[in-house]
Amino acid sequence: MARPKGDSSVTEARKQDILKAAFEVFSKNGYRGGSLSQVSEIVGITEAGILHHFKTKANLLIEVLAYRDELASEISGVTESSGLEFVTGWLNLIDYNISVPGIVELYCIVSAEATAADHPAHKYFQDRYEYVIGVTTASMQRIHDDGYMRKNLDPVDLGRAIVALSDGLQVQWLLDRKWDMIDEHKAFFRRILTDEGAKLTGLYIKEKVIA
Amino acid sequence: MARPKGDSSVTEARKQDILKAAFEVFSKNGYRGGSLSQVSEIVGITEAGILHHFKTKANLLIEVLAYRDELASEISGVTESSGLEFVTGWLNLIDYNISVPGIVELYCIVSAEATAADHPAHKYFQDRYEYVIGVTTASMQRIHDDGYMRKNLDPVDLGRAIVALSDGLQVQWLLDRKWDMIDEHKAFFRRILTDEGAKLTGLYIKEKVIA
DNA sequence: GTCTATAAATTGATAGAC
DNA sequence: GTCTATCAATTTATAGAC
């Protein structure tokens, strides 16, 4: 992408430093709980310096969220509707999230805050959920059409459910990490895939012993 | 329950007023975003007056959460492990939640905030989730033992999953209420119950047409 | 581009009168 | 039990020097 006029590369690097620090702060304390002074301390700059680059605190948050979305797109190919590959892609995403608890915290806290209609990131999260659920639903539809889904399951229900399940499990995981978040997701996919589908994604278990 | 010494009934009534107002404020803005002045304005009292009753803001939050738990216990009999009755009890709880979005917002926002180890309600939510997941897991186990669960499903996975699903769906619902949260939950139970179990809980659909 | 200085508001909390 | 008065701290944001 072309660099906007007037932004030297050193300026851009500075903005990246601030974004990284703001990301850290908002992850830990949320938007309302995080302050510009915390960010400035990490960067080694004054609060006025930060506002010079981002104008307002709300603006900074939005750019932090956009910054993270770029990262996420690189990590997994979940953005496309892709049948069975969706399953492994989604598991990869969870696996990545486990390695960066800060990101999980950021989304967990800020998405909850942003349910308030006057929150600066309200529209961002509305749009994001609509997009993500669209992708998951399309993938479920594709899995269904390919014949890898068990009988009598509704792809539309499942598209919403997988997003909800992941969000909910992440809250639980932030409060108590003494259980395997990947296993929980695998169990979900095992519930909805045919044996054939489970085999193709490496999730098949011949006989699961239930206590 | 016996009334604590020194608390006149009029004092107790005042505390209830404050709790109700604080509940409202924390529901809308979370703990960090909500202020004592907002609470005081609703009650028609000064901030000093509030702190006279609750000593600190953190203390007020804890009592608000406990206050709500009492309410919830009255609403549904979900607290006991009770086989198939769990399904209808849980659906009743969701139905109740839909009628009081403020409660949903309170738990959604504060539980997310409270994932931070130094949050005043951190331990409260750790304990609460442990308890709730314990109840749901026991209920799933009971459903399994009674023969109403489909083959190859793990009650332990499902106990955690139903809590996560509900939490996640509630976030989605706060952002966009143009879909049926009850239907989504029914679909989940339909996925895990035998036809016999679905019939007994009124969830059976003879032939579901998948688009 | 970053700083100092400062504004203007809000925060949670305390002391003490009534 | 509630008030006034006050505290010290912190907040976001602006103005202007360098």
Side-chain angles (χ1 to χ4, degrees), chain A residues 11 14 45-46 53:
Chain A
T11 292
R14 205 79 179 108
I45 199 182
T46 61
H53 290 284

Side-chain angles (χ1 to χ4, degrees), chain A residues 16-28:
Chain A
Q16 289 292 317
D17 290 345
I18 296 171
L19 279 177
K20 197 157 162 270
F23 175 74
E24 192 178 322
V25 168
F26 291 150
S27 294
K28 196 163 192 174

